[in-house]
Amino acid sequence: MTARSQALAMFRAVAKKDAGSRIVHQFATDPRRTERMGVEAAGLYVDLSKQSWSAEGFEAALDLARTCDVEGRRNALFGGEAVNNTQGRAVLHPALRAAADADFSALGEPVSKEVNETRNAMARFAVDIGSGAETGGTKQPFTAIVHIGIGGSDLGPRLLWDALRPLEPTIDLRFVANIDPRDMAEALSGLDPETTLVVVVSKTFTTQETLANADLAKAWLAESLSPRRMARHLIGVTAAPEKAEAWGCGKTFGFRDWVGGRYSLWSAVSLSVAVALGWDVFERVLNGAQAMDEHFLTADLERNAPVLLALAQVFNVEGLDRHARTVAPYAHGLRRLPAFLQQLEMESNGKRVKRDGSGVDTATGPVVFGEPGTNGQHAFFQQIHQGPKVVPAEFVVVGHTSEGAMDAREGDAPLWSNALAQAQALMVGKTEAEAKAELIAAGADKAEAERLAPHKTFPGNRPSTTILMDALTPEAVGALIALYEHKTFVEGVIWDINSFDQWGVELGKVLAKAILKDVEAGEPSPSLDPSTAELMKRLMV
Ligand code: F6P
């Protein structure tokens, strides 16, 4: 038995014991629980005391992290080793948000100089667009940007923009991801090609959806601009600049293969957001993430927010057989966080083999889903409270939802009080006796109270994590996203999987091409399965 499988067995045994106890009782027997399980990190506060673990369970989880060498793997990541072992790549998104004098290397090759050069070029471009020094082909200043990209080339920038955009932005930033032409049509509606910049974002510059949308945007520009003038409106952001130039981009901003798509929002992938928000705001996002990097690198494991957040998830998945988690950000600005986390976590940790190719001996990443609060409360929270299976919840709670309104704490209270109430209700619940007493107090007779009480009973003892942000500042948003990135990595270390490849998305891409070929030929190929062939025939009519 390896040290890891021994630690896993111990961890599972303790978790099983904890499953039989109630979270509220843990508070009663451990006066230091809130303090021990609440950590501050880069301006955020993470409360894990409403999780199902006892003090013993918490320690067993930390032992598991130590045995799996979380610290060693973390140092390998920051040290630029080939952490993405199936593609032989370093994983260095922290280098993108590091201080200007940082000195990162990817597989031994220094990268910080190039990072700074790109960052400076982005800053210049953002300032020049803002000042009107950089204009379109007909010398008019840009007033709108259409950002084209999908997956990691879309979700992070979109999240940043929604979280930090001013109410009345000077640049009208629109995003297009879907290959459904309606997405592009909606984005272009009302825009003037002469004042619109199109930013095509694709790490590979081969993604079908992005290239199709880029062609649509180019055709739209071409209706008003000559090819020479149009080039000033087409910007590429990619790790394959030669492809972007060949396609027609007048300018390109690059990043390297050691930046994973879903970890790329710190790079030129966020160019359009940096332009529309202003460079100073984007820089503050980077600073917030950098502060979280510093915390992750230096805090002891038992006070390390990304590590503890990861361990809580591993405890639920591995220890308690809970294979889903809902995320509810209580801020309209963070409404895209669940979508961003779906890619970050499920594309990173939805794996069935370990780093060495052998089958996993654990469950790996859960299903992640969510909606902003309070909207989710009126949709799926019923099941979180009363469904027979436990779904752990995560509340991201913001004291001041807008940076400009620092005195608006009371205005935000109806929002955050709901988050606190949900977490409390999940933990405390309501017994059948309490439900019955309430019904009788409200005038029901005994028979009616007995009939309805089971429906009004809440089992409680349902775990949740709460992440507090004092305000929706650029720094806090940067720190929050970096917190989730490192958490995802730590989980991958414990599950012993490669969190940085995504081979699972490839098969569908290949088959979609084959189906399109059949459509061109006018009939399904004989080797196609009968169900797919029938569906295709019906769609081709
Ligand atoms: O299909 C999955 C994926 O490769 C993601 O990992 C990536 O973020 C997205 O597609 C977009 O890729 P690209 O930036 O190369 O267009």
Side-chain angles (χ1 to χ4, degrees), residues 39 77 150 158 188 241 250 258 317 333 431:
V39 284
L77 184 140
I150 198 164
R158 224 188 256 250
L188 295 181
W258 43 261
V317 173
T431 64

Side-chain angles (χ1 to χ4, degrees), residues 150-153 201-205 207 210 261-262 343 347 502 505 509:
I150 198 164
S153 295
V201 185
S202 175
K203 179 176 171 182
T204 54
F205 224 84
T207 303
T210 300
R262 54 196 173 272
Q343 189 200 20
E347 197 166 88
Q502 57 283 323
V505 300
K509 289 184 191 172

Side-chain angles (χ1 to χ4, degrees), residues 76-233:
L77 184 140
F78 279 81
E81 292 177 28
V83 167
N84 176 352
N85 66 321
T86 55
Q87 295 179 297
R89 291 177 185 167
V91 176
L92 269 185
H93 44 279
L96 298 167
R97 56 214 187 197
D101 60 356
D103 187 14
F104 278 89
S105 292
L107 309 181
E109 186 199 329
V111 299
S112 293
K113 188 168 168 277
E114 187 178 310
V115 167
N116 285 333
E117 282 166 5
T118 305
R119 222 190 270 171
N120 292 340
M122 283 172 71
R124 269 197 308 276
F125 190 67
V127 169
D128 287 352
I129 294 233
S131 69
E134 178 87 33
T135 63
T138 54
K139 300 285 174 241
Q140 296 197 57
F142 290 111
T143 57
I145 300 179
V146 175
H147 174 117
I148 302 172
I150 198 164
S153 295
D154 166 69
L155 292 163
R158 224 188 256 250
L159 168 61
L160 286 184
W161 178 241
D162 286 347
L164 301 170
R165 55 167 287 170
L167 259 186
E168 285 167 15
T170 46
I171 296 270
D172 185 355
L173 174 55
R174 303 182 182 191
F175 292 87
V176 182
N178 202 319
I179 196 167
D180 179 343
R182 175 79 193 193
D183 198 4
M184 180 60 83
E186 285 180 8
L188 295 181
S189 161
L191 295 188
D192 175 356
E194 292 190 38
T195 56
T196 301
L197 185 70
V198 172
V199 181
V200 184
V201 185
S202 175
K203 179 176 171 182
T204 54
F205 224 84
T206 59
T207 303
Q208 184 201 20
E209 296 89 332
T210 300
L211 293 186
N213 279 323
D215 285 342
L216 287 180
K218 192 156 74 169
W220 175 76
L221 288 173
E223 284 171 20
S224 313
L225 297 163
S226 68
R228 196 178 51 81
R229 288 186 163 166
M230 191 167 65
R232 290 185 67 82
H233 294 247

